[in-house]
Amino acid sequence: MPGWMDRLRGYFSVDMGIDLGTCNTLVAVRGQGIVLNEPSVVAVKKDTKRVLYNGQAVGWAAKEMLGKTPGTITAIRPLKEGVISDFEITEAMLAYFINKVNGRMSRLFRPRVVISVPSGITEVEKRAVFDSAMRAGAGRTYLCEEPLAAAIGAGLPVSEPTASMIVDIGGGTTEVAILSLADIAVCESLRVAGDDLDEGIINHMKKTYNLMIGEQTAERIKIDLGSAAPYGNEGTMEVRGRDLISGLPRKTVVTAEEIREALQEPVSAICDAVSRTLERAEPELAADLVENGITLAGGGALLRGIGTVIQNATGLSVKVADDPLTCVARGTAIFLDNFELLKMTLENDSDE
């Protein structure tokens, strides 16, 4: 009977890897690659915390509401700094994504799930992820450390007896790790990442222009003008917001140079974390990195000049992974394809 049920489950259900990120959640399905990439945002009624529109106000639909909701509705990002800050909303979000990928069969055949988590989270925070996934409809649930998933997704030779170094700059955390023989040798999880870059821009606009802007405007400025080092053809951008003195809408023009200054503090914190990790590496691993260098992943890897700054700080060559935004999700999918070989590196705390 178990064999018969397993065959049915394999036919009707899917094994999925989930990159449960502070800003975006990506789902990869075994044999299909990435099938879902949506913002980690949920719109709820303020008084009841019920998800709007029969549970459909999740992801892109909810992100469009950020900063624009009336008094009775709020758009929530239920993860902060890579960990769950609102258990119930995270559960609702996961259930929506799992059902969207697995369809109606989720209720009958609960999918096996690998979820990536920051390397520095506590046991309590891990338990929150397990419980949220189980209540959302997952079957057997495994946790995979983000830097390992990112390195696998980036195509680094993590299973070989040579050092590979990954710097995964996400929305809530930056994961810095040196890997060898399919495991992490040295790592640091820094709760400074893409959200802090946005916050730096918001604070700059307040202090310099007395102009209040929202998260989405800050993100657009970061994408259009943001940089960690000077680059050619630096431009300007018109920014609209609310004047802190008059309270009225106003616009102003900002330059790439001043935005670079606004981003200096979080960028320096990331560079310091990379240097600290290298200082803790064993001599033989450090020797390998002279040749292998450092690979950048995550959305923060797309910040102009971030590789140059890290290279100047460490003296090592730095490259950006192909499609850095999806490295972690692709890594979880590779875990599923090589599950029996790699499952010893996963944490498992749930049974179907």
Side-chain angles (χ1 to χ4, degrees):
M1 182 65 70
W4 178 73
M5 286 298 292
D6 286 341
R7 285 195 296 272
L8 274 180
R9 181 179 291 106
Y11 183 78
F12 287 113
S13 186
V14 295
D15 291 339
M16 60 182 72
I18 300 177
D19 174 12
L20 188 60
T22 303
C23 293
N24 293 283
T25 295
L26 290 82
V27 179
V29 170
R30 185 176 185 178
Q32 299 180 36
I34 294 170
V35 296
L36 183 144
N37 182 356
E38 297 205 28
S40 302
V41 185
V42 182
V44 299
K45 292 282 287 183
K46 271 189 177 178
D47 51 352
T48 63
K49 278 203 169 183
R50 293 185 61 183
V51 183
L52 297 178
Y53 312 129
N54 295 321
Q56 299 298 307
V58 179
W60 289 113
K63 185 173 182 179
E64 292 177 359
M65 303 179 192
L66 276 175
K68 301 178 181 180
T69 56
T72 56
I73 299 172
T74 182
I76 295 174
R77 293 172 59 185
L79 291 105
K80 186 176 181 181
E81 296 179 342
V83 297
I84 294 173
S85 60
D86 192 311
F87 187 88
E88 292 182 5
I89 302 303
T90 301
E91 179 188 323
M93 182 180 74
L94 272 174
Y96 172 79
F97 290 146
I98 289 173
N99 290 331
K100 188 171 183 178
V101 172
N102 205 30
R104 295 179 180 178
M105 288 298 169
S106 295
R107 296 181 181 178
L108 183 59
F109 298 106
R110 293 155 68 93
R112 181 172 60 178
V113 173
V114 175
I115 301 179
S116 66
V117 294
S119 59
I121 67 173
T122 65
E123 291 301 320
V124 173
E125 290 165 339
K126 289 178 183 178
R127 169 55 60 184
V129 177
F130 273 123
D131 291 346
S132 290
M134 288 294 291
R135 290 169 63 92
R140 191 177 292 269
T141 303
Y142 298 86
L143 298 188
C144 170
E145 292 185 315
E146 275 184 22
L148 182 56
I152 293 173
L156 300 182
V158 296
S159 61
E160 297 179 8
T162 184
S164 300
M165 187 167 187
I166 190 81
V167 179
D168 177 25
I169 309 171
T173 63
T174 295
E175 304 289 319
V176 184
I178 299 171
L179 307 102
S180 179
L181 295 172
D183 210 345
I184 295 173
V186 185
C187 72
E188 179 169 340
S189 182
L190 180 71
R191 296 194 176 186
V192 175
D195 284 350
D196 297 273
L197 298 175
D198 294 343
E199 191 64 31
I201 294 172
I202 290 172
N203 290 336
H204 171 76
M205 298 305 296
K206 284 182 187 177
K207 294 176 182 177
T208 307
Y209 297 101
N210 287 319
L211 192 70
M212 175 65 78
I213 61 172
E215 293 178 10
Q216 296 197 69
T217 299
E219 186 177 16
R220 284 196 299 272
I221 296 171
K222 178 179 67 178
I223 293 170
D224 291 347
L225 290 185
S227 67
Y231 64 97
N233 298 320
E234 293 187 347
T236 61
M237 180 178 176
E238 185 178 83
V239 178
R240 300 178 182 89
R242 176 169 56 83
D243 192 294
L244 288 171
I245 298 174
S246 68
L248 300 175
R250 183 166 64 84
K251 63 182 180 181
T252 189
V253 175
V254 297
T255 66
E257 183 178 0
E258 64 181 293
I259 297 303
R260 183 162 56 250
E261 287 294 321
L263 301 180
Q264 186 172 2
E265 185 175 340
V267 168
S268 296
I270 292 169
C271 289
D272 291 343
V274 174
S275 297
R276 286 194 301 271
T277 304
L278 287 168
E279 289 167 2
R280 292 162 50 206
E282 293 292 333
E284 292 296 335
L285 294 176
D288 289 342
L289 293 175
V290 173
E291 179 178 351
N292 297 340
I294 300 171
T295 300
L296 304 183
L302 299 174
L303 182 68
R304 300 173 186 86
I306 186 70
T308 301
V309 172
I310 294 176
Q311 183 168 319
N312 291 340
T314 62
L316 300 176
S317 62
V318 178
K319 66 176 181 179
V320 177
D322 294 335
D323 196 5
L325 284 164
T326 65
C327 279
V328 174
R330 285 186 281 122
T332 60
I334 293 171
F335 258 113
L336 291 168
D337 288 334
N338 301 275
F339 191 78
E340 293 303 320
L341 181 65
L342 294 170
K343 70 178 180 181
M344 66 183 67
T345 66
L346 299 174
E347 293 193 44
N348 171 27
D349 197 49
S350 62
D351 293 315
E352 295 174 287

